[in-house]
Amino acid sequence: MRRVWTLLLIAALLSLRAPALAAEPPLQVPGTDAFPPGTDFSADALASELVAGVDQFLLDEIAAAREERRTRWLVEHATRELAAASDEERRSRLAHILGLRDPRGPAEAPQLLATPERSAVVGRGPGYEIVAIRWTAVDGRHGGPLHGEGLLLQPEQTPLADVVAIPDADVTPEAYVGLEPGLPSDAQLPRRLAQRGCRVIVPTLIDRTREPRNGRATLSSREFLYRSSFEVGRHLIGYELQKVLAAVDWFVADEATAKVAVVGEGEGGMLALYAGAIDTRIDLVGVAGFFGDRDHIWEQPIDRNVFGLLNDFGDAELGAMVLPRTLVIENSPGPILDIPGEGGAPAQLTPPERVADECARLRELAGEAAAADLAVVGGDGEVVERGAAFDQIAQRLGCGGPRLEQAPEVVGPRSGSVAATSAARQQRQLLEIDRFTQRVLATCSETRRDFLPIADQLGKAPQQPLDFSSPEAYERSIERFREQFANDVIGRFDHELLPARPRSQLVSQEHGVTTYRVVLDVFPGVMATGLLVLPDGLTPGEKRPVVVCQHGLEGRPDDLLAGAEKESIYKGMATRLAERGFITFAPQNLYLFGDRFRTLQRKANPLGKTLFSVIVPQHRQIVRWLATLPWVDAERIGFYGLSYGGKSAMRIPALVEEYCLSICSADFNDWVWKNASTTAAYSYVWTGEYEIFEFDLGSTFNYAEMAALIAPRPFMVERGHFDTVGPDERVALEFAKVRFLYEAKLQLPGRAEIEWFVGPHAIHGEGTYAFLHQHLNWPEPATP
């Protein structure tokens, strides 16, 4: 009898330590609070609250970045020596994020563009002629050549100054110089400068023509080129800056004048400001229809998106980097347009905002230099007409004089109209930039091998930044790459996680499992939410493995339950795995509600952040909370995601090391190629996922390199032969690198697996389930 009482007492104590789920389950997960009365804890309501909270969080971060930039600038410019070092580093960083990676060609005079039917001279005005030209911007060593094309206004006498005058993207060089109608006389800045004795180059910019690309998403020409270039660490802005700076190279080498200026309006004003901030050889910068508060860059055309810009550079900071050279700002309206989505990124261009405030910030940052070298036309908030700053520019270039209004004359004979000639040039420029990016893309695999050599490089001297002598040594040596991935690719917010303050509510008890809705705090205004699925039969004191099951695009945690509408895709994985004895958790990730979540990426990118800058901390909070549950073995928490959840499976476990394994389903492939190729019909270049592009993955982390961050933890790919995410051969090629790392370099057989099955973009749930049982050390059921 004494022994019986002893056993009963032990059982009672164990039940206090790890409560079992009763036949009638509690309304809340033990250790969590109830939702406040009246809370709508449905999947859609919590998902909408999640996206809204992250939206506000990002807007707050953008606003905070402005003051952080100011504080950092004032500290770094406290002395002349500090300022010189800071500005040099800033110029290098700005060039990097703008994609200025490729060497420019030699500083040579432009080529004249003529044919047997058409002279290079296309127009004449009083004291100058207008010539069609082309010049080398980037040489052919790394994907080129890349050329600028446009017009040269050549004065008859020795020029008084050299100017690159950049029109807005939708203004042709011919319109900007007055050879074709479209601009008022005062806005024809190159003509007016040429009449005052300046030599002027007017480059062609890629315009905003919108059309269906490859029969799919309707994109502007600028967005089309932006997408693939962004993925390989270049940028349409960078390409156009190369053309501008190559013209500056020639001006400087020619030594015909004492002063070099870069001026522009709209998109041209943007390029002029960036060029002046980067290149100290430019004596005068003129910015019209652009300078203002940049906090709403996420609303502007996506080709203006620069990863990490607002961490260091608002317009005031860029202007301060121009000074004490001359900076002339014209507060004219700039281009005004509304771009609907239709597969591309929706956007608006409105007159520059808070110009007076940004000028005040500029004056504070620049100090004394602003008094003598800054001229603002309309800086008190008054919007002025286009061309209003011309006199300031001309006087500061030393070419003031009487007002001349004579328009140039078109010179013939010409093959076709001015419009036809400019349209053909536009097409040449677009195709050349696309070809350049595709050549860069073709070299990216070798660039990544040099960056992170996870496989032997045949024919190259071996590099050994990684230690393959043991799994532990490898983990230590890969850590610096994990930090680079976290900081430079994904982006990391400098916030501590809040106390989780878990809340939960019973959802159902069926199929031998009990399901709860859970909410956790993460950052101010940011939560994590999902479904916790507990198998029946949990006994006091036992510890079970957990599988975090991640839905795909526009998904909900409920989609992963047995009997859900999308069971044909997800196979009820959260329920079925719980039936096999695993505890499962299905988080709600951010990628839902269409443009609502895609604009989160737009807001995050200027901060050097991405959607995963929020999703990764959410998962850190999730695994930490799961580890507190009495039935959970914190050492056995795995990740299994489909589609966008497979995209998550490559990024989240790479950074959340509490995940002991990762399974990528219906996503693994040559990700960089899929994003950047304009020859592959399945490329994201052609689709509506405008948020999908990640800056400079091409030279850093494709999926093999991300898997290297997961290693030596077990990793698996689930691949359906008819999955249109990409062709089998691309999947196999990328996975071969992963298998080589695990099997050959780390000598860890069985830890990197791929299951091929005859099927579509869906969970298969056979080899992956066996993989989970094996590596989470949980016995397979006798009858699955």
Side-chain angles (χ1 to χ4, degrees):
M1 179 64 69
R2 185 176 302 166
R3 183 182 177 193
V4 171
W5 282 107
T6 300
L7 291 173
L8 289 173
L9 178 60
I10 291 171
L13 290 172
L14 286 173
S15 68
L16 289 174
R17 184 179 62 166
L21 291 178
E24 290 294 327
L27 293 178
Q28 279 77 45
V29 177
T32 68
D33 296 328
F35 287 104
T39 299
D40 183 353
F41 57 86
S42 66
D44 283 351
L46 289 177
S48 185
E49 182 182 347
L50 168 63
V51 172
V54 174
D55 188 281
Q56 187 58 54
F57 172 78
L58 292 172
L59 290 175
D60 292 343
E61 290 293 309
I62 289 172
R66 188 187 316 118
E67 182 58 28
E68 291 169 6
R69 291 195 304 270
R70 171 186 175 274
T71 300
R72 191 162 55 251
W73 179 281
L74 294 176
V75 169
E76 292 175 355
H77 290 74
T79 67
R80 190 182 302 273
E81 292 75 15
L82 285 173
S86 171
D87 286 348
E88 185 64 27
E89 195 276 333
R90 283 171 182 267
R91 288 188 175 96
S92 175
R93 187 159 65 251
L94 180 60
H96 180 83
I97 62 178
L98 291 173
L100 293 171
R101 307 290 178 85
D102 305 290
R104 289 199 297 277
E108 296 177 346
Q111 302 168 347
L112 302 182
L113 290 182
T115 70
E117 295 80 24
R118 176 172 61 83
S119 167
V121 179
V122 297
R124 288 193 178 91
Y128 66 94
E129 65 179 11
I130 305 172
V131 184
I133 60 170
R134 183 179 79 162
W135 64 99
T136 301
V138 176
D139 66 22
R141 283 177 283 174
H142 295 81
L146 195 64
H147 297 96
E149 284 195 50
L151 301 177
L152 169 65
L153 283 68
Q154 179 71 47
E156 295 173 355
Q157 306 298 323
T158 301
L160 299 177
D162 283 322
V163 182
V164 182
I166 318 169
D168 179 59
D170 285 334
V171 175
T172 66
E174 286 77 8
Y176 206 27
V177 304
L179 283 177
E180 67 178 10
L183 289 186
S185 177
D186 282 355
Q188 296 168 13
L189 191 66
R191 173 190 61 77
R192 298 177 71 186
L193 288 169
Q195 290 177 172
R196 297 288 184 89
C198 295
R199 179 170 57 174
V200 185
I201 286 180
V202 184
T204 298
L205 300 191
I206 298 300
D207 65 23
R208 302 186 185 96
T209 297
R210 297 177 66 254
E211 61 185 45
R213 305 288 168 171
N214 203 22
R216 301 174 75 179
T218 297
L219 310 176
S220 73
S221 296
R222 296 188 68 81
E223 180 174 356
F224 168 67
L225 295 174
Y226 155 85
R227 288 184 169 198
S228 51
S229 63
F230 192 79
E231 190 78 11
V232 298
R234 273 66 172 180
H235 204 296
L236 178 59
I237 293 173
Y239 290 148
E240 293 182 329
L241 278 173
Q242 293 278 41
K243 298 176 184 185
V244 170
L245 296 178
V248 171
D249 292 343
W250 174 54
F251 284 154
V252 171
D254 190 49
E255 297 182 339
T257 71
K259 289 190 175 182
V260 174
V262 177
V263 300
E265 67 164 357
E267 228 63 16
M270 172 190 72
L271 292 171
L273 185 58
Y274 284 138
I278 288 171
D279 195 330
T280 58
R281 300 173 303 167
I282 300 170
D283 300 296
L284 181 147
V285 173
V287 182
F290 178 79
F291 190 92
D293 184 347
R294 207 52 52 196
D295 284 5
H296 288 270
I297 190 173
W298 57 271
E299 292 182 303
Q300 297 171 5
I302 197 169
D303 50 274
R304 288 188 177 186
N305 177 50
V306 178
F307 192 72
L309 179 72
L310 295 183
N311 287 337
D312 295 289
F313 309 104
D315 285 11
E317 286 78 15
L318 294 170
M321 291 169 66
V322 174
L323 297 170
R325 292 167 290 134
T326 302
L327 174 61
V328 179
I329 297 170
E330 177 187 282
N331 184 17
S332 51
I336 299 174
L337 70 156
D338 193 341
I339 301 175
E342 300 179 336
Q348 289 184 329
L349 275 180
T350 58
E353 299 178 344
R354 299 174 60 184
V355 176
D357 291 345
E358 197 69 9
C359 287
R361 287 204 326 113
L362 169 56
R363 290 187 176 95
E364 180 191 20
L365 299 180
E368 294 179 358
D373 301 303
L374 172 65
V376 181
V377 181
D380 57 358
E382 174 194 1
V383 178
V384 299
E385 296 294 327
R386 296 164 73 178
F390 171 78
D391 287 340
Q392 284 284 349
I393 293 170
Q395 289 169 12
R396 290 169 184 260
L397 286 177
C399 54
R403 183 181 181 91
L404 299 172
E405 291 301 335
Q406 183 175 340
E409 296 179 352
V410 175
V411 173
R414 305 187 66 189
S415 59
S417 67
V418 171
T421 302
S422 60
R425 182 184 56 221
Q426 178 72 209
Q427 186 68 7
R428 284 196 304 273
Q429 289 279 282
L430 185 146
L431 291 175
E432 187 179 63
I433 290 175
D434 179 43
R435 285 195 297 266
F436 184 93
T437 301
Q438 296 308 300
R439 292 190 190 103
V440 172
L441 174 61
T443 68
C444 279
S445 179
E446 288 302 311
T447 303
R448 290 192 302 274
R449 284 178 184 267
D450 291 337
F451 166 71
L452 179 52
I454 57 176
D456 288 343
Q457 296 177 286
L458 301 179
K460 284 191 174 184
Q463 298 184 54
Q464 293 297 332
L466 298 176
D467 187 341
F468 298 105
S469 61
S470 70
E472 296 75 20
Y474 175 81
E475 286 184 289
R476 289 191 296 271
S477 64
I478 199 71
E479 187 58 31
R480 69 181 178 93
F481 294 98
R482 191 189 325 280
E483 284 297 300
Q484 184 169 349
F485 184 64
N487 291 321
D488 299 344
V489 176
I490 297 299
R492 176 186 284 160
F493 283 110
D494 189 21
H495 294 293
E496 295 293 327
L497 293 176
L498 296 174
R501 201 169 60 88
R503 289 87 76 196
S504 68
Q505 177 65 42
L506 177 68
V507 173
S508 65
Q509 186 182 33
E510 56 186 350
H511 302 289
V513 302
T514 303
T515 303
Y516 291 90
R517 188 91 58 197
V518 177
V519 170
L520 310 171
D521 291 342
V522 179
F523 290 152
V526 177
M527 66 180 182
T529 182
L531 292 177
L532 177 70
V533 185
L534 301 173
D536 289 352
L538 292 173
T539 59
E542 76 167 323
K543 297 286 188 180
R544 297 276 186 109
V546 179
V547 181
V548 173
C549 304
Q550 191 60 68
H551 63 76
L553 181 66
E554 298 292 344
R556 308 290 191 279
D558 306 62
D559 296 336
L560 281 62
L561 299 178
E565 183 180 347
K566 296 183 179 180
E567 188 161 9
S568 63
I569 298 172
Y570 292 106
K571 305 296 191 294
M573 61 188 294
T575 302
R576 301 309 176 201
L577 286 168
E579 291 173 345
R580 288 170 164 263
F582 298 103
I583 294 170
T584 65
F585 188 83
Q588 176 66 68
N589 265 8
L590 277 173
Y591 34 78
L592 74 167
F593 302 129
D595 286 336
R596 281 186 64 191
F597 94 82
R598 293 192 164 101
T599 55
L600 299 182
Q601 184 87 322
R602 294 291 318 272
K603 292 166 185 166
N605 269 192
L607 297 169
K609 308 297 189 295
T610 64
L611 290 174
F612 285 94
S613 303
V614 177
I615 294 173
V616 166
Q618 288 175 318
H619 278 258
R620 289 194 193 281
Q621 193 74 301
I622 287 167
V623 295
R624 290 182 186 182
W625 174 72
L626 287 170
T628 69
L629 297 180
W631 320 282
V632 169
D633 182 349
E635 300 299 316
R636 292 186 290 164
I637 302 177
F639 190 101
Y640 185 0
L642 171 88
S643 191
Y644 225 120
K647 175 179 164 78
S648 301
M650 300 309 304
R651 291 157 180 78
I652 297 170
L655 297 178
V656 180
E657 295 176 81
E658 290 90 339
Y659 283 121
C660 69
L661 63 78
S662 182
I663 300 176
C664 175
S665 178
D667 186 73
F668 188 92
N669 65 97
D670 185 342
W671 184 256
V672 170
W673 179 269
K674 180 175 176 61
N675 279 268
S677 172
T678 57
T679 60
Y682 60 88
S683 171
Y684 277 124
V685 168
W686 315 116
T687 72
E689 286 90 344
Y690 58 82
E691 87 294 344
I692 209 81
F693 306 95
E694 296 160 284
F695 184 62
D696 203 18
L697 277 193
S699 58
T700 54
F701 296 93
N702 204 349
Y703 272 13
E705 288 76 24
M706 293 184 202
L709 301 179
I710 297 170
R713 291 167 287 164
F715 173 72
M716 185 172 183
V717 171
E718 186 175 50
R719 164 68 188 176
H721 286 303
F722 297 114
D723 189 341
T724 57
V725 71
D728 278 356
E729 60 267 25
R730 284 281 175 184
V731 176
L733 175 62
E734 194 68 11
F735 186 76
K737 303 172 190 177
V738 180
R739 178 66 70 90
F740 183 85
L741 170 65
Y742 275 82
E743 300 267 346
K745 303 296 285 187
L746 293 173
Q747 299 185 24
L748 295 171
R751 285 209 197 180
E753 300 291 343
I754 186 168
E755 180 188 26
W756 305 88
F757 67 94
V758 179
H761 189 79
I763 293 291
H764 187 52
E766 293 186 9
T768 51
Y769 285 11
F771 189 82
L772 289 168
H773 281 288
Q774 176 188 353
H775 291 287
L776 292 180
N777 192 24
W778 187 255
E780 294 200 46
T783 54

